[in-house]
Amino acid sequence: MCDARLFSPQIDVFGAGRAVEVYDLASADSVEALAETILATAPPRFALGGLSMGGIVAMEVLRQAPDRVAGLALMDTNPLAEKDEVKARRAPQMDKARNGQLDSVMRDEMKPNYLSDGPRRGEILDLCMDMALALGPEVFCRQSVALMNRPDQTETLRCFDGPALVLCGRQDLLCPVERHELMAGLMPQSRLCIIEGAGHLPVLEQPDETTAALRRWLEEIDNG
């Protein structure tokens, strides 16, 4: 439930010297269809990064078109299919969203799990709420269905031998460090980066450290 503002610190840095594209994840209710939409307009070969659901879709892009992905950055995400107990929470959340309670779902059930404690926590949570409400309940439901039905991508990652960055916030409660250790262990050219003082959104919580890690990853791709 985020838009391009999620990556505004990184866009500000990299946009001056690179072509940066942010694709929306709002148009379909499956990761397969979202990946197909991205591939229809993406360059022939590109560095690919994604955070949270964006990482899940990035893994599906890689599965569908491995030869087009020059490098992969997976941030605060999960390569596994969704657990049944998490799926069980989705339907009540979607019902609330359809009945005009998206703000309470985000405020009470999701936002508390997003961030570590820090001086900008309130500001970032306000931005998260603004992005979510701008996208609206129908997008929330489509994304929920896509996440419920996502495939396991461990074999996809095992087959990728390009430069890979696996990054997460130390205090990420949604996608904990051990998930990222798993992903990093699957890819032979991966580098694991744990961002201190960050939860699920290190791109906003600790933008300088996150951007530095992404810069090193991009330089690896540039250097072949």
Side-chain angles (χ1 to χ4, degrees):
M1 294 298 285
C2 295
D3 55 35
R5 288 175 285 177
L6 176 66
F7 297 108
S8 56
Q10 290 73 43
I11 293 170
D12 288 345
V13 171
F14 295 125
R18 296 177 182 270
V20 178
E21 298 286 343
V22 181
Y23 294 91
D24 89 68
L25 303 182
S27 61
D29 64 359
S30 76
V31 296
E32 293 88 351
L34 290 167
E36 289 169 5
T37 299
I38 291 169
L39 286 165
T41 57
R45 191 163 167 82
F46 49 88
L48 174 65
L51 184 147
S52 193
M53 181 177 177
I56 289 168
V57 175
M59 287 181 266
E60 177 61 21
V61 170
L62 176 65
R63 188 191 70 79
Q64 292 186 21
D67 293 341
R68 293 177 63 182
V69 178
L72 181 68
L74 298 175
M75 298 173 281
D76 299 271
T77 190
N78 187 349
L80 306 179
E82 188 152 271
K83 294 180 179 179
D84 289 341
E85 58 265 31
V86 179
K87 288 183 180 182
R89 295 198 292 267
R90 296 277 186 195
Q93 289 174 344
M94 287 189 281
D95 287 343
K96 289 179 184 178
R98 292 189 188 100
N99 290 321
Q101 300 177 62
L102 176 60
D103 57 343
S104 75
V105 172
M106 296 302 301
R107 182 182 63 248
D108 301 331
E109 300 183 41
M110 294 194 158
K111 281 173 53 173
N113 296 319
Y114 280 3
L115 307 180
S116 66
D117 290 328
R120 298 182 58 235
R121 177 181 169 87
E123 172 192 345
I124 297 170
L125 287 174
D126 287 345
L127 174 60
C128 291
M129 181 67 84
D130 191 55
M131 290 189 288
L133 295 182
L135 289 169
E138 292 307 314
V139 172
F140 178 84
C141 292
R142 285 196 290 271
Q143 291 188 345
S144 297
V145 171
L147 290 169
M148 285 174 63
N149 298 322
R150 68 181 188 262
D152 183 293
Q153 298 284 14
T154 53
E155 192 59 34
T156 300
L157 298 185
R158 189 175 283 113
C159 294
F160 182 66
D161 62 0
L165 171 66
V166 179
L167 180 148
C168 72
R170 175 73 70 184
Q171 287 81 42
D172 191 340
L173 300 178
L174 294 177
C175 300
V177 170
E178 54 263 30
R179 286 282 182 271
H180 298 80
E181 292 171 338
L182 168 65
M183 289 186 285
L186 292 170
M187 294 180 285
Q189 289 196 62
S190 68
R191 181 165 52 84
L192 178 64
C193 181
I194 310 300
I195 303 294
E196 302 296 337
H200 192 58
L201 303 178
V203 287
L204 294 173
E205 294 173 87
Q206 298 293 344
D208 293 343
E209 292 87 341
T210 302
T211 300
L214 288 165
R215 180 183 287 111
R216 290 192 296 270
W217 165 69
L218 288 168
E219 288 171 352
E220 290 176 33
I221 298 168
D222 292 341
N223 294 331

